[in-house]
Short mmCIF file of all heavy atoms in Angstrom, two decimals:
data_model
loop_
_atom_site.label_atom_id
_atom_site.label_comp_id
_atom_site.label_asym_id
_atom_site.label_seq_id
_atom_site.Cartn_x
_atom_site.Cartn_y
_atom_site.Cartn_z
N LEU T 657 0.83 -1.18 -0.03
CA LEU T 657 0.02 -0.03 0.00
C LEU T 657 0.86 1.27 0.01
O LEU T 657 0.37 2.35 -0.32
CB LEU T 657 -0.90 0.02 1.18
CG LEU T 657 -2.04 -1.08 1.22
CD1 LEU T 657 -2.82 -0.97 2.54
CD2 LEU T 657 -2.99 -0.87 0.02
N ARG T 658 2.11 1.17 0.34
CA ARG T 658 2.94 2.32 0.31
C ARG T 658 3.06 2.96 -1.05
O ARG T 658 3.46 4.10 -1.20
CB ARG T 658 4.39 1.96 0.82
CG ARG T 658 4.43 1.54 2.31
CD ARG T 658 5.72 0.89 2.62
NE ARG T 658 5.78 0.33 3.98
CZ ARG T 658 6.59 -0.59 4.34
NH1 ARG T 658 7.59 -1.04 3.54
NH2 ARG T 658 6.59 -1.10 5.57
N ALA T 659 2.75 2.20 -2.08
CA ALA T 659 2.84 2.69 -3.46
C ALA T 659 1.79 3.77 -3.72
O ALA T 659 1.95 4.50 -4.74
CB ALA T 659 2.64 1.52 -4.39
N GLU T 660 0.81 3.92 -2.88
CA GLU T 660 -0.25 4.94 -3.05
C GLU T 660 -0.69 5.50 -1.74
O GLU T 660 -1.51 4.90 -1.06
CB GLU T 660 -1.45 4.37 -3.83
CG GLU T 660 -2.51 5.35 -4.17
CD GLU T 660 -1.96 6.58 -4.88
OE1 GLU T 660 -1.36 6.44 -5.97
OE2 GLU T 660 -2.04 7.70 -4.31
N PRO T 661 -0.07 6.58 -1.31
CA PRO T 661 -0.33 7.08 0.08
C PRO T 661 -1.81 7.29 0.41
O PRO T 661 -2.23 7.08 1.52
CB PRO T 661 0.45 8.40 0.10
CG PRO T 661 1.55 8.22 -0.87
CD PRO T 661 0.95 7.41 -2.00
N SER T 662 -2.61 7.71 -0.54
CA SER T 662 -4.02 8.02 -0.29
C SER T 662 -4.73 6.68 0.08
O SER T 662 -5.58 6.62 1.00
CB SER T 662 -4.71 8.70 -1.41
OG SER T 662 -4.65 7.87 -2.61
N LEU T 663 -4.43 5.61 -0.65
CA LEU T 663 -5.04 4.33 -0.32
C LEU T 663 -4.51 3.76 1.04
O LEU T 663 -5.20 3.19 1.79
CB LEU T 663 -4.78 3.35 -1.48
CG LEU T 663 -5.57 3.60 -2.77
CD1 LEU T 663 -5.14 2.55 -3.81
CD2 LEU T 663 -7.03 3.58 -2.54
N GLU T 664 -3.24 3.97 1.22
CA GLU T 664 -2.61 3.53 2.45
C GLU T 664 -3.27 4.18 3.64
O GLU T 664 -3.54 3.52 4.64
CB GLU T 664 -1.08 3.83 2.49
CG GLU T 664 -0.40 3.33 3.70
CD GLU T 664 1.07 3.66 3.71
OE1 GLU T 664 1.49 4.66 3.11
OE2 GLU T 664 1.87 2.92 4.33
N ALA T 665 -3.56 5.47 3.55
CA ALA T 665 -4.20 6.20 4.70
C ALA T 665 -5.60 5.63 4.95
O ALA T 665 -6.02 5.58 6.11
CB ALA T 665 -4.27 7.66 4.33
N LEU T 666 -6.28 5.16 3.97
CA LEU T 666 -7.63 4.62 4.17
C LEU T 666 -7.59 3.19 4.70
O LEU T 666 -8.30 2.82 5.61
CB LEU T 666 -8.42 4.63 2.83
CG LEU T 666 -8.91 5.92 2.35
CD1 LEU T 666 -9.53 5.74 0.96
CD2 LEU T 666 -9.99 6.48 3.26
N TRP T 667 -6.74 2.38 4.16
CA TRP T 667 -6.77 0.93 4.37
C TRP T 667 -5.86 0.46 5.54
O TRP T 667 -6.25 -0.49 6.22
CB TRP T 667 -6.45 0.14 3.08
CG TRP T 667 -7.52 0.15 2.12
CD1 TRP T 667 -7.87 1.12 1.20
CD2 TRP T 667 -8.56 -0.89 2.00
NE1 TRP T 667 -8.96 0.76 0.52
CE2 TRP T 667 -9.44 -0.49 0.96
CE3 TRP T 667 -8.82 -2.06 2.69
CZ2 TRP T 667 -10.53 -1.23 0.59
CZ3 TRP T 667 -9.93 -2.83 2.30
CH2 TRP T 667 -10.75 -2.43 1.30
N ARG T 668 -4.72 1.10 5.68
CA ARG T 668 -3.79 0.57 6.70
C ARG T 668 -4.37 0.47 8.10
O ARG T 668 -4.24 -0.58 8.76
CB ARG T 668 -2.49 1.38 6.68
CG ARG T 668 -1.43 0.95 7.68
CD ARG T 668 -0.25 1.87 7.70
NE ARG T 668 0.66 1.56 8.77
CZ ARG T 668 1.82 0.88 8.66
NH1 ARG T 668 2.23 0.52 7.44
NH2 ARG T 668 2.55 0.62 9.74
N PRO T 669 -5.08 1.51 8.59
CA PRO T 669 -5.58 1.41 9.97
C PRO T 669 -6.59 0.31 10.08
O PRO T 669 -6.63 -0.39 11.18
CB PRO T 669 -6.31 2.78 10.17
CG PRO T 669 -5.64 3.71 9.25
CD PRO T 669 -5.27 2.85 8.02
N LYS T 670 -7.34 -0.05 9.06
CA LYS T 670 -8.32 -1.14 9.14
C LYS T 670 -7.65 -2.44 9.10
O LYS T 670 -7.99 -3.45 9.78
CB LYS T 670 -9.31 -1.00 8.00
CG LYS T 670 -10.05 0.30 7.96
CD LYS T 670 -11.06 0.42 9.11
CE LYS T 670 -11.93 1.68 8.96
NZ LYS T 670 -13.00 1.81 9.99
N LEU T 671 -6.57 -2.56 8.27
CA LEU T 671 -5.87 -3.82 8.17
C LEU T 671 -5.12 -4.12 9.40
O LEU T 671 -4.87 -5.30 9.76
CB LEU T 671 -4.95 -3.80 6.95
CG LEU T 671 -5.54 -3.65 5.57
CD1 LEU T 671 -4.46 -3.67 4.53
CD2 LEU T 671 -6.64 -4.72 5.30
N LEU T 672 -4.66 -3.11 10.10
CA LEU T 672 -3.88 -3.33 11.36
C LEU T 672 -4.79 -3.38 12.61
O LEU T 672 -4.26 -3.53 13.74
CB LEU T 672 -2.83 -2.22 11.53
CG LEU T 672 -1.77 -2.13 10.42
CD1 LEU T 672 -0.68 -1.17 10.82
CD2 LEU T 672 -1.17 -3.53 10.11
N SER T 673 -6.03 -3.23 12.41
CA SER T 673 -6.98 -3.36 13.56
C SER T 673 -6.92 -4.78 14.13
O SER T 673 -6.77 -5.74 13.37
CB SER T 673 -8.38 -2.99 13.12
OG SER T 673 -9.33 -3.34 14.15
N ARG T 674 -6.99 -4.87 15.42
CA ARG T 674 -7.05 -6.21 16.02
C ARG T 674 -8.45 -6.62 16.29
O ARG T 674 -8.71 -7.53 17.12
CB ARG T 674 -6.22 -6.15 17.33
CG ARG T 674 -4.74 -6.01 17.08
CD ARG T 674 -3.96 -6.48 18.28
NE ARG T 674 -2.55 -6.36 18.04
CZ ARG T 674 -1.61 -7.05 18.76
NH1 ARG T 674 -2.00 -7.85 19.72
NH2 ARG T 674 -0.34 -6.89 18.54
N ARG T 675 -9.41 -6.05 15.57
CA ARG T 675 -10.82 -6.45 15.65
C ARG T 675 -11.21 -7.13 14.35
O ARG T 675 -11.09 -6.54 13.28
CB ARG T 675 -11.69 -5.26 15.96
CG ARG T 675 -11.47 -4.64 17.34
CD ARG T 675 -12.39 -3.49 17.56
NE ARG T 675 -13.82 -3.84 17.51
CZ ARG T 675 -14.83 -2.91 17.50
NH1 ARG T 675 -14.51 -1.65 17.58
NH2 ARG T 675 -16.05 -3.35 17.46
N TYR T 676 -11.65 -8.35 14.45
CA TYR T 676 -12.15 -9.09 13.29
C TYR T 676 -13.64 -8.70 13.01
O TYR T 676 -14.46 -8.75 13.92
CB TYR T 676 -12.04 -10.58 13.55
CG TYR T 676 -12.71 -11.45 12.45
CD1 TYR T 676 -12.30 -11.32 11.11
CD2 TYR T 676 -13.67 -12.36 12.76
CE1 TYR T 676 -12.83 -12.14 10.18
CE2 TYR T 676 -14.27 -13.17 11.84
CZ TYR T 676 -13.84 -13.07 10.53
OH TYR T 676 -14.38 -13.84 9.60
N ASP T 677 -13.88 -8.24 11.82
CA ASP T 677 -15.25 -7.78 11.47
C ASP T 677 -15.61 -8.39 10.15
O ASP T 677 -15.24 -7.87 9.08
CB ASP T 677 -15.24 -6.26 11.42
CG ASP T 677 -16.62 -5.69 11.16
OD1 ASP T 677 -17.55 -6.48 10.88
OD2 ASP T 677 -16.79 -4.51 11.23
N PRO T 678 -16.41 -9.50 10.14
CA PRO T 678 -16.78 -10.11 8.88
C PRO T 678 -18.04 -9.56 8.24
O PRO T 678 -18.55 -10.11 7.25
CB PRO T 678 -17.03 -11.59 9.33
CG PRO T 678 -17.54 -11.45 10.70
CD PRO T 678 -16.83 -10.27 11.31
N ALA T 679 -18.52 -8.43 8.76
CA ALA T 679 -19.78 -7.89 8.22
C ALA T 679 -19.66 -7.51 6.75
O ALA T 679 -18.59 -7.07 6.27
CB ALA T 679 -20.16 -6.64 9.05
N VAL T 680 -20.76 -7.63 6.07
CA VAL T 680 -20.88 -7.17 4.69
C VAL T 680 -21.18 -5.70 4.73
O VAL T 680 -22.36 -5.29 4.88
CB VAL T 680 -21.96 -7.97 3.93
CG1 VAL T 680 -22.18 -7.41 2.51
CG2 VAL T 680 -21.62 -9.45 3.84
N ALA T 681 -20.12 -4.92 4.67
CA ALA T 681 -20.25 -3.46 4.82
C ALA T 681 -19.05 -2.78 4.18
O ALA T 681 -18.00 -3.35 4.11
CB ALA T 681 -20.34 -3.13 6.30
N PRO T 682 -19.15 -1.56 3.75
CA PRO T 682 -18.05 -0.80 3.17
C PRO T 682 -17.00 -0.52 4.22
O PRO T 682 -17.26 -0.58 5.40
CB PRO T 682 -18.69 0.45 2.59
CG PRO T 682 -19.94 0.62 3.39
CD PRO T 682 -20.42 -0.73 3.72
N LEU T 683 -15.77 -0.21 3.74
CA LEU T 683 -14.67 -0.02 4.61
C LEU T 683 -14.90 0.89 5.76
O LEU T 683 -14.55 0.67 6.90
CB LEU T 683 -13.44 0.45 3.77
CG LEU T 683 -12.10 0.54 4.54
CD1 LEU T 683 -11.60 -0.82 4.95
CD2 LEU T 683 -11.07 1.27 3.70
N ALA T 684 -15.54 2.04 5.49
CA ALA T 684 -15.71 3.07 6.54
C ALA T 684 -16.53 2.57 7.69
O ALA T 684 -16.44 3.07 8.82
CB ALA T 684 -16.35 4.28 5.92
N ALA T 685 -17.38 1.58 7.47
CA ALA T 685 -18.26 1.02 8.50
C ALA T 685 -17.65 -0.17 9.21
O ALA T 685 -18.34 -0.68 10.11
CB ALA T 685 -19.60 0.67 7.88
N LYS T 686 -16.45 -0.52 8.88
CA LYS T 686 -15.87 -1.75 9.41
C LYS T 686 -14.98 -1.40 10.63
O LYS T 686 -14.20 -0.43 10.60
CB LYS T 686 -15.02 -2.47 8.37
CG LYS T 686 -15.78 -2.95 7.18
CD LYS T 686 -16.76 -4.09 7.46
CE LYS T 686 -16.08 -5.39 7.80
NZ LYS T 686 -15.77 -6.18 6.65
N ALA T 687 -14.95 -2.21 11.64
CA ALA T 687 -13.99 -2.12 12.75
C ALA T 687 -12.62 -2.64 12.40
O ALA T 687 -11.63 -2.24 12.99
CB ALA T 687 -14.54 -2.88 13.98
N GLY T 688 -12.54 -3.49 11.41
CA GLY T 688 -11.32 -4.02 10.92
C GLY T 688 -11.53 -4.64 9.59
O GLY T 688 -12.66 -4.93 9.21
N ALA T 689 -10.48 -4.82 8.81
CA ALA T 689 -10.64 -5.28 7.42
C ALA T 689 -9.57 -6.29 7.12
O ALA T 689 -8.54 -6.36 7.77
CB ALA T 689 -10.55 -4.16 6.43
N THR T 690 -9.84 -7.13 6.09
CA THR T 690 -8.88 -8.13 5.58
C THR T 690 -8.68 -7.84 4.12
O THR T 690 -9.52 -7.30 3.49
CB THR T 690 -9.34 -9.58 5.80
OG1 THR T 690 -10.61 -9.74 5.17
CG2 THR T 690 -9.52 -9.88 7.25
N MET T 691 -7.53 -8.32 3.60
CA MET T 691 -7.15 -8.08 2.21
C MET T 691 -6.84 -9.40 1.57
O MET T 691 -6.10 -10.21 2.14
CB MET T 691 -5.97 -7.15 2.16
CG MET T 691 -5.62 -6.75 0.69
SD MET T 691 -6.83 -5.59 -0.06
CE MET T 691 -6.37 -4.12 0.82
N GLY T 692 -7.37 -9.65 0.37
CA GLY T 692 -7.07 -10.84 -0.42
C GLY T 692 -6.26 -10.48 -1.65
O GLY T 692 -5.82 -9.35 -1.81
N MET T 693 -6.12 -11.45 -2.50
CA MET T 693 -5.36 -11.30 -3.75
C MET T 693 -6.05 -12.05 -4.84
O MET T 693 -6.55 -13.13 -4.64
CB MET T 693 -3.93 -11.80 -3.53
CG MET T 693 -3.00 -11.64 -4.78
SD MET T 693 -1.46 -12.54 -4.59
CE MET T 693 -0.66 -11.61 -3.29
#
């Protein structure tokens, strides 16, 4: 994510959250997020 600071600012805090949140919801509404490939 370092390749795009604006995306890093949005996603990094959610990816580093220690709260697992499997809800079907957009990123802003999530307590934590996971990333796939």
